[in-house]
Amino acid sequence: MFVISTENFSVWKKKQILKGGDNKSLSLLIDLLGGLSTKELSLLKIKSEKNLRLKLDLDSLEYFWDKHLSTFTPIQYLSGFSYWRDLKLEVSNKVLIPRPETELIIEIVSEIFKNKEEQITYVDLGTGSGAIGIALALSNPRWNGVATDIDKNAIEIASRNFANNSNQSNLKFYCGNWWDPLFNFKGEIDLAIANPPYIPQDNYEGLPIEVKNFEPKNALLGGEEGLDHINEIVKYAHLYLKDNGWLLIENHFDQGDRVKQLFFENRFTSVKVLKDFSGIGRFTIGRYQEIIS
Ligand code: GLN
């Protein structure tokens, strides 16, 4: 721990923001690398304490801030951590930094499964850092979750995140492509969720440097039209979902109608496109219906 005078810290902070970047990123850096939470930071002005404690000295923090400004490396990758909902998750450049819009998935699911006593089996396909799967396991300790990812580094990170955020055992991790590792769960899934790579090729080329140069391409790029992985997930869903089981997929801002159509073509009913905070049709949901003949 480094004890630093509040006055020196304020001077340092002003100097950093004059170099560029935005306040939110600087606060995140002070939080994730300096160990001073954004809340504590905003209380500093009121509390008028003489000193504060940081995990790194100001020169080291400045080194990371300069690196962020000159290379556009996201603070989350510089620190190895990201906040998402009430979780603090380990991240590396092998996994996407979990996005705020994705947080809504947890609310959508709790709207669908209102009866908290119900015991369901859910799957988080392409879990990355584990965000969705872990949040669901924590808020529904009676549920059984399975999370898959094609990248074994992601599976390792996600498993550690689950272990570090809970002492529960209701989420298992499997390495493999989308549904592939789930051969033991055929016809047994009540709810499947995926935030797959959905950026179309042309859009990918134009992504901001902080995304394109650092975040894993295989977690973002969804082929020519962005729909390659969504197609695959919807097409094979019938093998794994129970009759009336739910599928929820996050999609790109303009893909809602096409994904909805895809759901219909694959025997889904009650298909809806739900909006994110910005009013974008971001999530497509539906229920798989078996045809009994
Ligand atoms: N929403 C992410 C972005 O815009 C993309 C996530 C994804 O492809 N699943 O960077």
Side-chain angles (χ1 to χ4, degrees), residues 96 99 101 195-199 207 211 219-220 250 252 282:
L96 205 71
R99 303 287 198 269
E101 62 269 26
N195 174 16
Y198 52 64
I199 308 282
L207 285 177
V211 177
L220 288 162
E250 183 178 314
H252 207 26
R282 177 71 72 188

Side-chain angles (χ1 to χ4, degrees), residues 59-165:
D59 285 346
S60 307
L61 283 180
E62 183 160 2
Y63 163 82
F64 284 113
W65 181 242
D66 289 344
K67 190 158 180 192
H68 168 69
L69 293 179
S70 60
T71 64
F72 297 98
T73 315
I75 309 286
Q76 288 90 338
Y77 289 151
L78 287 174
S79 66
F81 284 96
S82 175
Y83 288 113
W84 192 79
R85 293 181 66 89
D86 51 352
L87 300 170
K88 186 173 177 182
L89 299 168
E90 177 189 335
V91 292
S92 80
N93 61 1
K94 302 288 181 201
V95 299
L96 205 71
I97 298 166
R99 303 287 198 269
E101 62 269 26
T102 306
E103 297 187 1
L104 256 188
I105 288 179
I106 310 304
E107 271 72 48
I108 297 171
V109 168
S110 75
E111 273 297 301
I112 296 175
F113 294 94
K114 283 209 174 81
N115 175 2
K116 291 286 150 206
E117 295 306 301
E118 202 175 343
Q119 272 190 314
I120 70 158
T121 301
Y122 71 91
V123 43
D124 174 12
L125 300 165
T127 194
S129 63
I132 300 170
I134 294 170
L136 288 177
L138 294 182
S139 51
N140 304 282
R142 296 167 60 89
W143 291 7
N144 275 316
V146 190
T148 70
D149 203 287
I150 195 160
D151 186 338
K152 78 172 188 350
N153 296 294
I155 289 294
E156 282 166 14
I157 291 172
S159 315
R160 274 201 296 276
N161 278 329
F162 185 48
N164 291 337
N165 278 283

Side-chain angles (χ1 to χ4, degrees), residues 244 246-247 260 263-264 268-273 284-289:
N244 273 320
W246 290 87
L247 178 62
K260 189 173 173 181
F263 271 55
F264 282 131
F268 279 84
T269 59
S270 317
V271 183
K272 280 196 200 101
V273 178
T284 307
I285 62 164
R287 307 186 84 170
Y288 171 66
Q289 201 118 82

Side-chain angles (χ1 to χ4, degrees), residues 146-201:
V146 190
T148 70
D149 203 287
I150 195 160
D151 186 338
K152 78 172 188 350
N153 296 294
I155 289 294
E156 282 166 14
I157 291 172
S159 315
R160 274 201 296 276
N161 278 329
F162 185 48
N164 291 337
N165 278 283
S166 80
N167 46 22
Q168 293 175 205
S169 55
N170 59 329
L171 178 61
K172 303 273 180 287
F173 297 89
Y174 295 96
C175 190
N177 194 37
W178 304 127
W179 304 97
D180 287 356
L182 303 177
F183 39 85
N184 282 331
F185 293 86
K186 285 200 169 150
E188 289 187 14
I189 308 286
D190 298 274
L191 164 71
I193 297 162
N195 174 16
Y198 52 64
I199 308 282
Q201 182 71 48

